[in-house]
Amino acid sequence: MSGEMGVLTYLTDATESHPGEGALCVGDPVVLRQGRRGGKLEAWSANGRRLGALPPAESEALSGLLTGDNDRLRGHIAALVPRPRLTGPGRIHIRVIEQG
C-alpha cells in the first residue's frame, strides 16, 4: 500500500479505445467533471478522451466537493482490471486526489 491520500472509485461504463488513441496506463492523469446533462460525474483523460462515468451513489457523494469556482476533481488511474474472457473494456479504478 502506497499510503497515498484520496478517494478510490471506479467507472461503471468504461469506454472502448478508438484507433489512434494510446493505451491507458496506471498513473495516467484523470479529470472528473459533471456530465453534459448534469447528474453523474464523468472521467476524462488528459487528452480529452471520455473514459466513463462513476456509479450514481459515488457520483453524488463526490459532487459535494464541487463548487462554483471549482467544477473539477483531479486524480489518476489507480488500476486497470480486465473483464473475464477479455469481453469489452475492463474496469477502470480512479484515485481522486484534489480539487481543480
Side-chain angles (χ1 to χ4, degrees):
M1 190 153 141
S2 70
E4 182 179 22
M5 299 298 288
V7 176
L8 187 64
T9 188
Y10 62 94
L11 306 179
T12 58
D13 63 345
T15 59
E16 295 268 6
S17 62
H18 299 293
E21 290 180 335
L24 297 174
C25 297
V26 171
D28 284 353
V30 174
V31 174
L32 299 177
R33 63 181 188 228
Q34 228 36 86
R36 292 185 180 145
R37 298 180 193 141
K40 291 183 185 179
L41 287 178
E42 295 179 340
W44 294 80
S45 70
N47 64 0
R49 174 180 165 195
R50 183 185 179 278
L51 302 177
L54 273 66
E58 294 194 24
S59 187
E60 184 178 332
L62 289 174
S63 290
L65 299 175
L66 301 175
T67 64
D69 296 335
N70 202 0
D71 63 348
R72 296 168 190 251
L73 299 171
R74 297 201 182 276
H76 62 266
I77 295 175
L80 297 166
V81 182
R83 291 201 185 276
R85 299 185 187 133
L86 304 176
T87 57
R91 181 174 278 184
I92 300 172
H93 291 248
I94 305 286
R95 181 165 303 278
V96 180
I97 52 176
E98 64 185 24
Q99 295 176 321

